[in-house]
Amino acid sequence: VYNRTAGHLPSNGVNAVEEDGEGGIWAGTFNGLSRFHQGIWTTHLLSDTLPSLVITDLLAKDDGMWIGTEDGLIYYDSLTNTVTVVSELEDHLVETLAADGLGNLWVGTATNGIWTLSDNGWQHMAHDPNKAGTLPGNQISIGGLARDPMSDSGMWANILEIGLVYWDGHRWHLRSNELPNSVLYRLYSEPMSGDLWFGSEGGVTRFDGETWGTFTVNDGLLSSAIYAIAYDGQGAYWFGGPEGLSRYKPDQSPPWVHVRAVGNAELIDDTYQVDQNQSTMIDVIAGDLQTSADNLRIYYRTATSDEWQVLNSSPLVVSFDEPGLQTFEFSARDEAFNYAPVIRHKLDVLA
């Protein structure tokens, strides 16, 4: 654990964490910058040149670092040790920074929508009530931008009082979510898998395109609110909050899932025979070496459906309107988002 008391950070309030081109970890706080490299912390970086000591976000690029503050945006060139102030965003509260798959810079502001920087210069995205597909609102949340690694032009954004939205390269779309708290501080997309992480007042939440899961202080987080998220390339995640930094390295072992019984049905040729006129109870259990039973998730679906549903309690009670062959699939997911191999069970529904 790294904090101000130990001399690692200028403030325990960590808003942003980013790895630079040399493998150094930068921490942006409420009172300036720190950098961790080769086991050594350097504090109060660039204090004389920052528009504000309140660092809101960080984004590494080439041989430098984009630094967002509550009073504007700067770029630090590590080769020349120089700082460039972005005039377009002077005196603007920068809430979040991101880069899309084309290398364009995205800047989310507190009240002035989104600015992007490409080879064509700066462009502005703002809400226009008379045009469909424009940005639904101008108040981008803290840490409210994240690239979609599966699409060069795709970008996720969180807008205050609007919620989660997605840019497909042409227009904006509203998206539903299962976040534990509406106060959202950070969006982060994992470069390799494309998984989306959310830091909020309710902990840190992960969405892999199929399922959602959340870590809280009860699971080992140092802070109940998460302001910053980073992946260090060594299989570990860093989560920053008001109490300092937490480091999490997930295990790689998948859980297991098993169907113990299908009511009183008899198994004949790998198929259970059940009565159409009676409800059928499918008793499903799962286990994992690292994840407790309370945090293990069991999922099910029929073979004709693409959407997994959470089995909140076992047994699963099902009934059928018509006779015929039905196939159910089951899986389980642990806290580290490892999935059990899918198992399938056939039910022959008899009239």
Side-chain angles (χ1 to χ4, degrees):
V1 176
Y2 306 104
N3 53 35
R4 180 184 178 186
T5 303
H8 305 127
L9 304 170
S11 168
N12 282 340
V14 178
N15 290 328
V17 179
E18 181 77 347
E19 183 179 10
D20 62 26
E22 297 179 343
I25 298 293
W26 291 57
T29 77
F30 288 110
N31 193 36
L33 288 163
S34 286
R35 181 174 182 260
F36 179 68
H37 188 235
Q38 296 180 345
I40 298 175
W41 282 96
T42 303
T43 60
H44 301 289
L45 290 171
L46 310 176
S47 294
D48 295 336
T49 57
L50 292 170
S52 167
L53 289 179
V54 179
I55 310 301
T56 56
D57 207 358
L58 300 166
L59 182 67
K61 185 181 187 300
D62 301 329
D63 296 307
M65 185 73 65
W66 289 102
I67 303 169
T69 78
E70 67 174 4
D71 286 325
L73 176 70
I74 68 171
Y75 180 72
Y76 169 69
D77 190 321
S78 60
L79 294 180
T80 61
N81 197 33
T82 57
V83 170
T84 302
V85 177
V86 178
S87 59
E88 287 84 354
L89 289 156
E90 228 172 330
D91 298 325
H92 284 294
L93 172 50
V94 174
E95 296 286 26
T96 180
L97 303 171
D100 62 23
L102 301 173
N104 301 321
L105 175 68
W106 289 60
V107 183
T109 68
T111 59
N112 200 26
I114 294 172
W115 293 76
T116 62
L117 177 62
S118 67
D119 293 338
N120 297 321
W122 286 98
Q123 302 292 326
H124 187 210
M125 291 182 174
H127 175 57
D128 187 342
N130 298 316
K131 291 184 179 180
T134 63
L135 192 65
N138 290 327
Q139 294 177 290
I140 310 304
S141 72
I142 299 171
L145 287 175
R147 171 198 170 191
D148 179 3
M150 303 296 106
S151 169
D152 284 342
S153 57
M155 184 66 64
W156 293 92
N158 185 66
I159 303 174
L160 296 180
E161 300 182 359
I162 299 293
L164 191 64
V165 296
Y166 181 75
W167 173 255
D168 64 4
H170 304 284
R171 59 184 293 143
W172 290 97
H173 306 268
L174 285 169
R175 291 293 175 92
S176 61
N177 64 76
E178 297 180 17
L179 296 171
N181 194 287
S182 60
V183 181
L184 188 63
Y185 296 121
R186 176 70 53 179
L187 272 67
Y188 173 78
S189 52
E190 192 174 327
M192 298 300 293
S193 67
D195 289 3
L196 194 61
W197 291 77
F198 305 82
S200 73
E201 193 67 30
V204 62
T205 301
R206 184 177 184 178
F207 175 57
D208 65 355
E210 293 283 347
T211 65
W212 298 75
T214 297
F215 286 129
T216 68
V217 290
N218 295 329
D219 301 304
L221 283 180
L222 192 62
S223 301
S224 58
I226 297 301
Y227 303 150
I229 303 170
Y231 180 70
D232 64 12
Q234 305 299 315
Y237 299 90
W238 295 68
F239 306 124
E243 305 302 325
L245 287 170
S246 301
R247 183 176 182 269
Y248 165 65
K249 188 171 185 179
D251 75 282
Q252 303 296 318
S253 301
W256 54 266
V257 64
H258 176 65
V259 172
R260 288 194 295 192
V262 180
N264 296 320
E266 183 180 0
L267 182 63
I268 301 176
D269 296 330
D270 296 326
T271 302
Y272 291 97
Q273 294 187 345
V274 299
D275 192 337
Q276 175 190 347
N277 299 317
Q278 295 182 355
S279 295
T280 300
M281 295 186 296
I282 305 176
D283 187 10
V284 187
I285 59 173
D288 185 73
L289 293 176
Q290 303 293 330
T291 302
S292 67
D294 291 339
N295 293 324
L296 197 63
R297 296 291 178 265
I298 300 176
Y299 298 93
Y300 72 95
R301 66 183 180 185
T302 62
T304 58
S305 173
D306 292 330
E307 183 176 350
W308 288 100
Q309 299 184 62
V310 179
L311 179 59
N312 292 314
S313 61
S314 187
L316 171 65
V317 180
V318 296
S319 59
F320 306 97
D321 296 329
E322 297 180 357
L325 191 65
Q326 300 283 341
T327 301
F328 284 83
E329 299 180 336
F330 299 91
S331 184
R333 194 210 69 213
D334 62 17
E335 284 184 317
F337 273 64
N338 299 306
Y339 286 86
V342 175
I343 60 173
R344 296 173 177 83
H345 284 271
K346 296 178 182 179
L347 278 65
D348 188 8
V349 182
L350 304 178

